[in-house]
């Protein structure tokens, strides 16, 4: 007859601690947007947008200036009911921070634009936890106003 061996109590404690650690790591990865960023084609012009770590970004041609993207972004946000809290603009970079119409005290959309070697980078981030669908909707509205 085979003998049955029971695990000591410390083994159970280690197993539970390992399970809790695994769950915490999985939760953190899902909140922080773990995994490789996904590329997706945006709008009729065939621009490629990349979503990763709460931020959706795309690159525009050099003909599109930072000032032009800011004007389009502010129009798009206001059309969606956002209230502009802050708009900091220079010729090379810009940051727009806006509150959604029915958001909490920490909810906000941040749009950044900056000059790069190959053109202009446009990024949309929904804070505090990110929202890919809302980011794409805002980006699409901005690009539509830019004629892209």
């Amino acid at each position: 007859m085979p003998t049955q061996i029971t695990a000591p109590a410390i083994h159970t404690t280690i197993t539970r601690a390992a399970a809790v650690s695994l769950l915490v790591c999985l939760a953190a990865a899902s909140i922080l947007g773990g995994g490789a960023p996904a590329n997706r084609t945006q709008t009729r012009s065939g621009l490629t947008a990349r979503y990763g770590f709460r931020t959706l970004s795309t690159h525009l041609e050099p003909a599109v200036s930072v000032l032009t993207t800011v004007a389009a972004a502010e129009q798009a946000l206001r059309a969606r009911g956002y209230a502009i809290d802050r708009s900091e603009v220079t010729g090379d970079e810009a940051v727009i921070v806006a509150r959604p119409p029915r958001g909490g005290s920490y909810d906000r959309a941040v749009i950044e634009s900056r000059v790069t070697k190959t053109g202009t980078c446009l990024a949309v981030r929904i804070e505090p936890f990110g929202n890919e669908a809302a980011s794409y909707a805002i980006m699409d509205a901005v690009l539509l106003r830019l004629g892209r």
Side-chain angles (χ1 to χ4, degrees):
M1 244 184 171
T3 346
Q4 190 173 14
I5 302 174
T6 59
I10 191 156
H11 177 70
T12 305
T13 305
I14 291 173
T15 303
R16 284 185 185 148
V20 169
S21 296
L22 178 62
L23 287 173
V24 168
C25 288
L26 290 173
S30 68
I31 288 172
L32 297 177
N39 289 335
R40 192 163 25 165
T41 301
Q42 180 79 9
T43 74
R44 288 175 296 260
S45 64
L47 290 173
T48 300
R50 182 181 188 104
Y51 187 84
F53 194 65
R54 302 179 305 146
T55 303
L56 175 67
S57 61
T58 191
H59 291 278
L60 304 168
E61 63 272 11
V64 180
S65 71
V66 169
L67 299 175
T68 305
T69 60
V70 167
E74 287 184 357
Q75 288 176 2
L77 288 168
R78 286 193 176 102
R80 296 180 61 79
Y82 282 75
I84 308 293
D85 278 346
R86 192 176 89 218
S87 182
E88 299 173 2
V89 183
T90 67
D92 296 333
E93 61 185 355
V95 176
I96 301 168
V97 179
R99 284 179 288 114
R102 290 172 297 282
S105 57
Y106 296 107
D107 295 336
R108 62 187 191 163
V110 179
I111 298 181
E112 297 173 313
S113 180
R114 71 181 187 290
V115 174
T116 65
K117 290 180 182 180
T118 58
T120 302
C121 177
L122 178 64
V124 177
R125 183 175 63 251
I126 305 297
E127 295 183 347
F129 301 112
N131 183 329
E132 186 174 359
S135 297
Y136 271 101
I138 292 170
M139 177 76 76
D140 193 46
V142 172
L143 293 175
L144 186 66
R145 283 167 173 75
L146 290 172
R148 306 293 181 279

